[in-house]
Amino acid sequence: NDPVTATIEWASARLHEDLPVERLAAQALLSPRQFSRQFKARTGTSPHQWVLTQRTALAQRLLETTDDPVELVARGAGFATAAALRLRFQQALRTSPQAYRRTFRPPTAA
């Protein structure tokens, strides 16, 4: 049983929660430094960057599959505010959540 893999699975189900490296490390029963080192060796990225990437992907899925307002999508994906989600979308996807939804949301049947 690999503690990093188990923690990734655990965190994937809790992206809406606060997930600092200290909490992830505690879940893995490792020090934050040990956890970060093992996490990066396993995934190629830092725990913080992984969480941001996973939250962005979750927000994308929510925008594609729900009619929830951006504020609710942001909270559901673990972003503190809608502004934080908008900033992340600009940084990662070069678009806004609303524009993303317009582009990737399947048309609803009338």
Side-chain angles (χ1 to χ4, degrees), residues 2-51:
D2 172 35
V4 172
T5 300
T7 300
I8 287 172
E9 291 171 8
W10 176 86
S12 293
R14 292 166 177 79
L15 292 171
H16 60 284
E17 297 178 13
D18 189 26
L19 296 172
V21 70
E22 293 80 11
R23 184 172 181 204
L24 298 171
Q27 180 65 29
L29 302 176
L30 297 168
S31 73
R33 186 172 179 206
Q34 287 175 312
F35 179 77
S36 293
R37 193 171 35 242
Q38 288 184 25
F39 191 96
K40 184 156 185 151
R42 180 83 27 84
T43 66
T45 191
S46 71
H48 176 74
Q49 190 59 49
W50 179 86
V51 168

Side-chain angles (χ1 to χ4, degrees), residues 8-109:
I8 287 172
E9 291 171 8
W10 176 86
S12 293
R14 292 166 177 79
L15 292 171
H16 60 284
E17 297 178 13
D18 189 26
L19 296 172
V21 70
E22 293 80 11
R23 184 172 181 204
L24 298 171
Q27 180 65 29
L29 302 176
L30 297 168
S31 73
R33 186 172 179 206
Q34 287 175 312
F35 179 77
S36 293
R37 193 171 35 242
Q38 288 184 25
F39 191 96
K40 184 156 185 151
R42 180 83 27 84
T43 66
T45 191
S46 71
H48 176 74
Q49 190 59 49
W50 179 86
V51 168
L52 279 178
T53 300
Q54 296 305 307
R55 286 179 172 163
T56 303
L58 175 56
Q60 288 174 279
R61 288 191 302 276
L62 292 171
L63 289 167
E64 293 168 11
T65 60
T66 73
D67 292 322
D68 293 344
V70 171
E71 292 77 14
L72 194 57
V73 169
R75 275 186 269 133
F79 292 95
T81 64
L85 175 63
R86 288 182 189 102
L87 178 62
R88 177 65 184 161
F89 262 59
Q90 281 300 324
Q91 292 171 338
L93 304 172
R94 303 283 186 241
T95 191
S96 70
Q98 289 291 19
Y100 181 89
R101 176 176 268 162
R102 281 192 302 272
T103 302
F104 293 102
R105 170 86 191 216
T108 56

